[in-house]
Amino acid sequence: LRPEQWALTIAQWKQFLHTCKACTELWEWLTAQPAYGTTEAKGYVNLYDVCAHFVKPWTAGTGCGLALLMNPTEPLTASLMISHSWAEDIEECSEAFDNFCKTWNISELTPIWFCTYAQYQPQDGHGPSIQEQIALQPFLSVIHSEGVREGVPNAATHPRLQWKSNFGMLVVHTSRADPYTRLWCVHEVDEALSVLGKEMVFGICTKGYLEGLACGTMGGNFLCMERRRLAVTSEAAACGVPEDEDMIRKHILAKGTFEDLDRAVMDFRAAMASHL
């Protein structure tokens, strides 16, 4: 199967979160754990937690990522690429998906490509390693795929699904983690803008994220944003793997500058804020 077929629906994404939270004792323990580099309880569960304590043990030995295990006989082809931070509050990410579906009138049956659930994570020899999967360039495969670029469903096998054309890529913004401090997210935005165009790369966020940017109120619930607060410095983003960081920086600079990327990001963040 091609990487773009490692997808699951938004409804399945939320179903998995509900199943994880049903493990009450473990979920509460994870909530009480300190955030990286601190000693205080972080008060939420992030995607590193979910991957380590749910995704890996539940998929270990199968050789399949979570998305394929949830769609074993009819793999779904992604219609939307998700760019996000692993350090985010997973419940706040769920809120962002709710806002996305409500704002754009999108069905929760929309297949999405969410890296943590798309790729086989255990590194146990029963399936491809992370590096072997990265070598397939899954992100590029997804954003170049017909389903993401054109919004075309597989009507023969999934006639029940409702689709909106030209989904593209969605960047999730939450209050707990800035996606633009993660170089992979910066790379994804840069590449998606190049391949899909700015009309198909857009953001969604949570109430907490907007409150963090707000400089005041005007007319009821309207949040007045200072444009400077939407600015990013993508060149300062980091990556945990030095080889990956060097590759990503060279790729971005081969097409333009980090300043160009910063301006493009600020534009679609401003558009995101105006829609909510």
Side-chain angles (χ1 to χ4, degrees), residues 2-206:
R2 293 182 57 78
E4 59 266 29
Q5 294 178 286
W6 310 345
L8 75 170
T9 67
I10 295 173
Q12 288 176 323
W13 189 100
K14 295 172 71 174
Q15 176 191 352
F16 179 68
L17 174 60
H18 178 77
T19 301
C20 295
K21 292 178 65 178
C23 301
T24 309
E25 186 174 344
L26 176 55
W27 193 266
E28 291 178 351
W29 179 81
L30 290 170
T31 300
Q33 298 308 298
Y36 180 77
T38 71
T39 58
E40 296 183 2
K42 60 183 183 295
Y44 60 93
V45 176
N46 62 33
L47 204 54
Y48 292 108
D49 298 327
V50 171
C51 184
H53 296 277
F54 298 102
V55 175
K56 286 184 178 181
W58 290 355
T59 60
T62 67
C64 291
L66 181 70
L68 285 176
L69 287 180
M70 296 184 78
N71 300 282
T73 59
E74 293 185 21
L76 299 177
T77 298
S79 188
L80 179 69
M81 170 73 193
I82 307 297
S83 182
H84 61 100
S85 170
W86 279 50
E88 67 198 355
D89 178 344
I90 193 66
E91 293 184 87
E92 200 176 353
C93 183
S94 182
E95 178 193 338
F97 282 147
D98 288 340
N99 291 342
F100 168 67
C101 292
K102 179 180 178 180
T103 300
W104 299 100
N105 193 28
I106 301 298
S107 169
E108 288 193 352
L109 294 179
T110 301
I112 62 174
W113 203 91
F114 192 84
C115 61
T116 318
Y117 302 164
Q119 294 176 299
Y120 186 59
Q121 300 291 344
Q123 299 275 69
D124 59 3
H126 290 280
S129 68
I130 296 298
Q131 287 304 314
E132 287 171 337
Q133 292 171 88
I134 289 177
L136 297 175
Q137 297 186 306
F139 166 66
L140 290 178
S141 180
V142 173
I143 65 168
H144 280 274
S145 67
E146 185 180 35
V148 167
R149 297 183 68 181
E150 312 264 347
V152 178
N154 184 346
T157 57
H158 297 91
R160 69 188 186 282
L161 300 187
Q162 299 298 313
W163 300 76
K164 176 181 180 295
S165 295
N166 301 330
F167 278 126
M169 189 174 84
L170 178 70
V171 185
V172 176
H173 299 71
T174 67
S175 65
R176 300 289 187 178
D178 182 355
Y180 307 106
T181 62
R182 178 174 175 257
L183 196 56
W184 272 108
C185 285
V186 171
H187 171 53
E188 289 164 359
V189 171
D190 178 58
E191 194 66 29
L193 287 169
S194 176
V195 173
L196 302 172
K198 63 181 181 179
E199 295 82 8
M200 292 179 65
V201 181
F202 49 103
I204 198 69
C205 65
T206 62

Side-chain angles (χ1 to χ4, degrees), residues 182-191 194 234-237 244-262:
R182 178 174 175 257
L183 196 56
W184 272 108
C185 285
V186 171
H187 171 53
E188 289 164 359
V189 171
D190 178 58
E191 194 66 29
S194 176
S234 57
E235 191 171 10
D244 288 353
E245 178 159 348
D246 184 58
M247 177 272 293
I248 292 171
R249 291 188 182 280
K250 287 180 178 178
H251 192 81
I252 291 173
L253 293 174
K255 296 187 300 177
T257 68
F258 281 98
E259 289 77 13
D260 293 335
L261 181 56
D262 290 345

